[in-house]
Structures are given as C-alpha cells and as structure tokens.
Amino acid sequence: MQSGSKAHSLKYNAIINILSKVMSIIFPVITIPYVTRTLDVGNYGMVSLSQNIIGFFALFAGLGISTYATRTGAAIRDDPGKLKQFACEVFSINVLSTLSSLLGLAACVFIFPELHPLLSLLTVMSMGIMMGTIGCDWVNNIYEDFTSLTVRTFFVQIISLALLFLLVKNADDQLIYASIGVFASGFASLINAVYIRRYVKISFVRCSWSLIKHHVKPILIFFFTQVACMIYVSSDAVMLGFMQNNEEVAFYNIATKVYTIVNTMIYAVIMVLLPRLSNTIHVKKDLLQNCDKIDQIFNVMLLLTVPCMALVFSLSDSIVLFLGGITYGESVVPLKLLSFASLFSVFAGLYSACILLPVGAERISFYCTVLAAVVNLVANVIFIPIGGATAAAATTVLAEAVGFLGYWLYCRRLLHIRISRNVLAVVVMGYILTEMVCRSLHILMKQPFFHCIVSGIAVLFVYSLVLYLGDRKDFFYLYGGGISKITAKMPFNKKETR
C-alpha cells in the first residue's frame, strides 16, 4: 500500500463492504416495487431477459480477471514496480477480451432473429460492459480499499434513484429504465478509474504471447469457473424466456433478486477474507496452522447465514407482495425454494475463498462449478417446460447442493471443518422460532413492508437471545467483530503498516 498508509482491520473492511452491498441492495429494493408497477409484466420480462444475456457477455469480457487479480495482486502489493507491471498486463488482457465479447454480442444479435426485439435494450446495456473494464475495481480489492467503493456507490445511486422517478413514467419506458442502470454503473466505473491512480497508474500495453502467457492458465481456470457458475445462475432466466414466456422470466426474476440480495450481503464478508488469506496461506501446512481460526470463520458464517435463509423463507409472501404486488404472486414458491440454495451457495463460497484459492487449488473450484452447471442445465431442459419458474428455482437448489457436495468431499482431505454442536443447536432452534415469530406477526400485520421490517427486528432479538443462552462465546464472537478477532493473530496482521 502507499507509503505511510495503514491497512484497515478485517472488521472495518467487512463492515464497509457490507455497507456498500447494503446500498447496492437498497437501490433495487426501492426501485423494484416502482418499476414492476410502472412497466407491464411483459416489458419487465424483456429487461430481465436482456440483463441475463448481457450477463453472459460481461462474463466473457471479464475472463475471471477480477478474482485472479485480487488473489495474485494481494501477494505482491508491497512491490510497486511488480504490481504496476502485473496490473498493466492484466488490464490489457481485459480490454482485448471486452472488445471480443462485444463483437460476439453483435454477431449473436445479427444471427438470431429472436434477439431482434431486444436490440435497443442490448445495445444500451452493452455499454456497461466496457465501463466495467475501465473501472478496475479489482485494484481496490487488492489494497482492501472498500471505503472508496462505498462512498461512490452511495452518491451514484442517489442520482440514479432521482432519474428513475423523474424519467420512468409509462409502461413502455423499459429502455429509459435500462439506460439509468448503465449510467449508474458506468459513471461509478469512470470515477474509480481516476481514483485508483493513487495506487497504481494502469495503461494498455501490447499483449505479446511471451508477456501474457503466465497469466493465461490461471485466468482461464477462473474464467471457466465463472462461466459454469453463470450457466446455472443466469441460464434459468434465459431458458425460461425461450421455453416458456417473458411473464415466467419476470416471476423468476423477482425471486432471484431477493436470493441475490441475501447472497450479496453474506459474500461481502467472504470477499473481504480473500486478499487477507491469500497473503497468509499458501500451502497445506499454512491451512493446518490456522485450522482453528478457519473453523471459527465457518461457525460464525453459519450463524449469519441461517437467520437470513429463515427470514426469506418465512417472509416470502410479504416480500413478493411488497416488491411486485399481487400480480407477481407466482414468485412466492420459487423464492421459498431459493432460500435453501443460499446455504449451499455460501458454504461452497467459503470452501473456495478460505481453503482452495489461497493454496492455488482453483481448478477444484472449476470442477465443482462445472458439475453443478451440468446438473442445472440437464434439469432445466427436463423440468422448465413442465414447471416454469418454480422448476427453475428447484433446479438451482439442486445444482447448488451438488456443487457444495463436491467442495466438501475434496476440502475435507485438506482440512476437517468442525462445526460446534452448540452452534448447530442454536441455528436449528433459531430457524424454528423465526418461522413462529413471522407467522404470528403476519396475523397481526397485513401491510407487507411493515411485516418484513418488524419481523426482521423481532427475529434479530429472538435469535440473539437464543444464541446468548446457548453459547455466550459464539454470541460475543458474532456481535463483537468475530471474523476480525479470528484473523487477528494471522501472520499478515502483525505488520499492518506499509
């Protein structure tokens, strides 16, 4: 890091990153109810389908570079010369992959007549792909600078929210709605491109094979892992659009928005761990030396994940009614199913970020993700024509469970994760009480927004009480910055000042 600057604690980074994600979540929570009531279901489905198609091409543009750059850059960030060379090479590869991706998108629109009605939406949204490449958010991750991302997210989303309410007024304003989203992400990326020059001045360099060949293998492993992940995350909506209709896409999109919100909140903690662990753990021996701390990370994350899962399941009716209104009632069952997928997804991510990536075993992440993607694709082909959005949600749960099983079977050979019996007892009791509290409050409160808010507060109190009575040690870990304390004695933390 820059001379004289100080690396923030894990606790600070986790809080700031979660705050950034919360603001990213608040924006769609505010906008979705407005948009679903302003645009008709068909037009909203077109936007959702276009977003998923753009997601595929954004993935090809990104090439898995963000994760690779974060992991590798974190290990060399104390050497400015080395980091600058690395950053310029990776950025140049990213620019070329982005241009190739945009050309591929143009070719697909020209070849497939089914995409012609989406031409305007796809053209506008594709601009966000290039902006994302220019932004280089991975530099912030390398230096664990989550504060700047949070500040810029706040101001950009305030502007976007104002534009949304001012400009989106009619049922056919879906192009304006999409343009506002591109403006938000694009403007934020341009701001960051200027900001990160305080760390490293990135420029495009000629990409000869001799210059980039040592990056290719790890980048491709991360890329194909993300491709497989994208297949079973976004293929559901795309296949619904082709095998069912835009209405089914809209129903499924409401459920996946909430599912993504929950996962984003929890993954904010996981992504804070990656650069720190990458600087600490390099081989299996390092894993064994830090096994107690990794056990505690898994226990704390279980205590965070299960209440979120329980709340989404119990409040699914009120959440859907608030976000989409009675028109989107068919989103309730898919949302209930996806709440279970969160548990498998989060712990698969933990195995990857805490064990596999730090020791350079990303190929195992790739194998597990491919396995899950294949299961999801095959199940989608069989069940989506029969069950629509509900079937798509069920296949996602199945795919996440299969992927988690693959991670668990391999990682137990490297490190046996021990989950406390007290923690298991607390989460089971907490889940049961969450269901009881939400059902009781639903009888008393019919307004969906207030039902969600009051239930969330009540469940937080009840769950905290159960945790305190069940295991005070875990209570103070969770509410006293547990992850920061867990990693406090890792070797990296002994030298905080650069």
Side-chain angles (χ1 to χ4, degrees), residues 71 221 355-366 410 414:
R71 188 200 68 176
I221 291 175
I355 297 178
L356 296 181
L357 296 187
V359 299
E362 57 268 9
R363 60 186 177 82
I364 304 301
S365 295
F366 169 64
Y410 182 85
L414 299 176

Side-chain angles (χ1 to χ4, degrees), residues 244-269:
Q244 288 277 346
N245 50 60
N246 287 336
E247 285 75 15
E248 287 292 324
V249 177
F251 296 143
Y252 187 65
N253 189 63
I254 290 290
T256 54
K257 287 281 187 185
V258 180
Y259 171 66
T260 302
I261 284 171
V262 174
N263 282 7
T264 299
M265 287 279 292
I266 302 171
Y267 270 98
V269 179

Side-chain angles (χ1 to χ4, degrees), residues 66 97 187 361 458:
S66 180
S97 65
F187 186 53

Side-chain angles (χ1 to χ4, degrees), residues 112-330:
F112 298 107
E114 294 87 353
L115 298 180
H116 292 174
L118 305 176
L119 177 60
S120 298
L121 285 170
L122 292 174
T123 300
V124 169
M125 291 180 182
S126 65
M127 296 171 61
I129 297 178
M130 179 59 80
M131 291 296 99
T133 299
I134 293 172
C136 297
D137 286 357
W138 43 268
V139 174
N140 304 74
N141 294 333
I142 288 173
Y143 284 97
E144 301 182 46
D145 182 2
F146 301 104
T147 305
S148 62
L149 298 177
T150 302
V151 172
R152 95 172 188 220
T153 298
F154 174 76
F155 285 107
V156 168
Q157 289 187 344
I158 289 295
I159 295 171
S160 301
L161 193 62
L163 291 175
L164 177 69
F165 290 131
L166 285 172
L167 301 178
V168 178
K169 298 289 187 181
N170 304 307
D172 57 353
D173 283 343
Q174 65 270 19
L175 186 60
I176 298 175
Y177 171 54
S179 301
I180 291 172
V182 172
F183 165 78
S185 60
F187 186 53
S189 295
L190 288 175
I191 292 174
N192 201 55
V194 175
Y195 174 81
I196 60 174
R197 293 180 66 83
R198 64 182 294 187
Y199 294 124
V200 57
K201 291 180 172 59
I202 300 177
S203 59
F204 183 83
V205 295
R206 184 178 177 182
C207 292
S208 63
W209 176 247
S210 60
L211 189 67
I212 66 171
K213 63 181 180 180
H214 60 287
H215 298 302
V216 172
K217 182 178 178 180
I219 282 178
L220 288 180
I221 291 175
F222 282 117
F223 168 63
F224 286 117
T225 300
Q226 291 186 0
V227 167
C229 185
M230 176 65 78
I231 286 173
Y232 74 83
V233 169
S234 297
S235 65
D236 296 343
V238 175
M239 294 176 75
L240 276 170
F242 283 98
M243 302 171 75
Q244 288 277 346
N245 50 60
N246 287 336
E247 285 75 15
E248 287 292 324
V249 177
F251 296 143
Y252 187 65
N253 189 63
I254 290 290
T256 54
K257 287 281 187 185
V258 180
Y259 171 66
T260 302
I261 284 171
V262 174
N263 282 7
T264 299
M265 287 279 292
I266 302 171
Y267 270 98
V269 179
I270 296 176
M271 289 312 296
V272 164
L273 292 170
L274 178 57
R276 191 68 60 96
L277 291 172
S278 294
N279 206 285
T280 304
I281 297 172
H282 304 285
V283 293
K284 183 178 178 180
K285 180 181 177 182
D286 297 330
L287 280 175
L288 298 177
Q289 290 175 346
N290 292 282
C291 62
D292 289 341
K293 300 174 184 65
I294 294 175
D295 285 344
Q296 289 168 355
I297 289 173
F298 272 73
N299 278 273
V300 170
M301 292 303 295
L302 183 63
L303 291 170
L304 288 172
T305 304
V306 172
C308 296
M309 181 181 72
L311 271 174
V312 171
F313 182 87
S314 302
L315 296 176
S316 54
D317 295 87
S318 295
I319 292 171
V320 169
L321 190 59
F322 167 66
L323 292 178
I326 196 170
T327 308
Y328 287 82
E330 291 187 38

